[in-house]
């Protein structure tokens, strides 16, 4: 890839590809609006759904299972938390205690991160590398809206934009697709940097219109609700959202798809 592009050293030692004459060859997966999908992060992975893409846990999904889904014609998006630390992960030892903030509500063992810390950047960079090594088609970095939460740090919207854009660039360097998870207030600034959106509960909180810039660019909005909503599928189909009704545990104990 780099032989076809000029290169520029990035702040953490990565090489960014810069297209000659702005001719960037976007060879990674780019799901279009209305793409069917399944999201499961816990339990024995059920791969029997006839969908175009699966969103699965980066660490817990073995390479053989990723390859098997791809051989069935499915794309595999690998989930990890980018803006929080989970105390059961093996790759967190290098993150300084000063970069670990307040707990996430309702998620035991998980705390917000200071996304300005360069070791946090390196850790997430390594997770994206792991996704590429395991053969994932894309990544779903979660908790990229810490600036809107009680993280324990004085994060600004621009801190979040810088971090989120870094994640997108890091994925694209490795020819991985990347989704913007929630973080609705930053969509106008980041829609061009991300290949799809992943959203939780926009109908419940009456904020789905914020996701329309992705649809307007024919980029998938992978949308999940955790409680039945009036006219759930009617809204999804009208706006080309890829909507699922799922359990909060994301363990495939039930599922309703709007397509």
């Amino acid at each position: 890839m780099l032989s076809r592009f000029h290169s520029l050293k990035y702040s953490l030692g990565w090489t960014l590809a810069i297209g000659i004459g702005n001719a960037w060859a976007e060879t990674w997966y780019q799901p279009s609006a209305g793409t069917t999908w399944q999201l499961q992060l816990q339990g024995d992975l059920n791969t029997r759904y006839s969908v175009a893409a699966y969103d699965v846990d980066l660490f817990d999904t073995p390479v053989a299972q990723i390859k098997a889904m791809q051989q069935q014609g499915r794309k595999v998006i690998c989930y990890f938390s980018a803006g929080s630390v989970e105390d059961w992960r093996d790759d967190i030892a290098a993150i300084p205690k000063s970069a670990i903030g307040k707990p996430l509500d309702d998620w035991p063992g998980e705390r917000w991160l200071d996304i300005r810390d360069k070791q946090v950047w390196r850790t997430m960079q390594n997770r994206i590398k792991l996704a590429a090594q395991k053969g994932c088609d894309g990544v779903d970095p979660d908790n990229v809206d810490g600036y809107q939460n009680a993280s324990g740090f004085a994060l600004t919207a621009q801190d979040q934009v810088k971090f989120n854009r870094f994640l997108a660039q890091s994925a694209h360097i490795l020819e991985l697709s990347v989704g913007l998870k929630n973080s609705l207030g930053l969509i106008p600034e980041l829609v061009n940097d991300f290949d799809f959106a992943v959203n939780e509960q926009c109908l419940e909180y009456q904020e789905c219109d914020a996701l329309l810039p992705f649809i307007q660019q024919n980029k998938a909005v992978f949308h999940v609700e955790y409680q039945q909503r009036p006219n759930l599928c009617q809204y999804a189909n009208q706006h080309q959202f890829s909507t699922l009704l799922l359990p909060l545990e994301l363990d495939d104990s039930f599922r309703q798809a709007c397509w």
Side-chain angles (χ1 to χ4, degrees), residues 84-257:
S84 73
V85 63
E86 301 153 313
D87 63 12
W88 59 90
R89 299 301 187 188
D90 295 332
D91 65 344
I92 63 173
I95 297 176
K97 291 183 179 179
S98 60
I100 299 175
K102 292 184 177 181
L104 274 69
D105 292 340
D106 302 321
W107 296 103
E110 191 167 0
R111 290 178 174 269
W112 290 103
L113 286 170
D114 186 348
I115 57 170
R116 300 165 299 184
D117 185 276
K118 295 308 179 185
Q119 188 56 54
V120 171
W121 284 40
R122 292 185 184 95
T123 299
M124 300 312 153
Q125 193 177 61
N126 287 334
R127 290 183 177 186
I128 293 169
K129 287 182 182 179
L130 176 63
Q133 291 164 1
K134 294 185 77 167
C136 307
D137 296 289
V139 289
D140 171 15
D142 199 3
N143 297 311
V144 292
D145 55 359
Y147 82 105
Q148 291 183 309
N149 290 274
S151 66
F153 306 106
L155 302 177
T156 68
Q158 284 309 303
D159 291 330
Q160 196 72 64
V161 166
K162 185 177 180 181
F163 179 69
N164 292 5
R165 192 167 278 151
F166 161 75
L167 295 172
Q169 292 171 338
S170 298
H172 288 159
I173 286 297
L174 297 177
E175 298 190 339
L176 293 174
S177 183
V178 59
L180 181 62
K181 185 70 160 282
N182 299 321
S183 206
L184 298 179
L186 301 181
I187 286 176
E189 197 161 355
L190 291 175
V191 63
N192 292 330
D193 296 276
F194 286 81
D195 304 296
F196 57 92
V198 182
N199 175 263
E200 298 168 294
Q201 300 166 280
C202 73
L203 276 176
E204 180 172 346
Y205 295 112
Q206 300 181 18
E207 54 192 15
C208 291
D209 286 355
L211 291 152
L212 293 179
F214 278 93
I215 298 298
Q216 291 161 2
Q217 293 193 19
N218 194 30
K219 296 179 178 182
V221 172
F222 294 128
H223 167 226
V224 58
E225 294 285 336
Y226 299 123
Q227 296 182 32
Q228 183 62 259
R229 314 302 304 174
N231 304 316
L232 174 68
C233 289
Q234 179 181 343
Y235 183 94
N237 295 331
Q238 181 181 353
H239 294 87
Q240 292 185 278
F241 282 21
S242 303
T243 295
L244 294 169
L245 177 65
L246 296 176
L248 184 61
E249 296 77 13
L250 297 174
D251 59 1
D252 193 47
S253 56
F254 70 84
R255 178 181 187 269
Q256 176 186 336

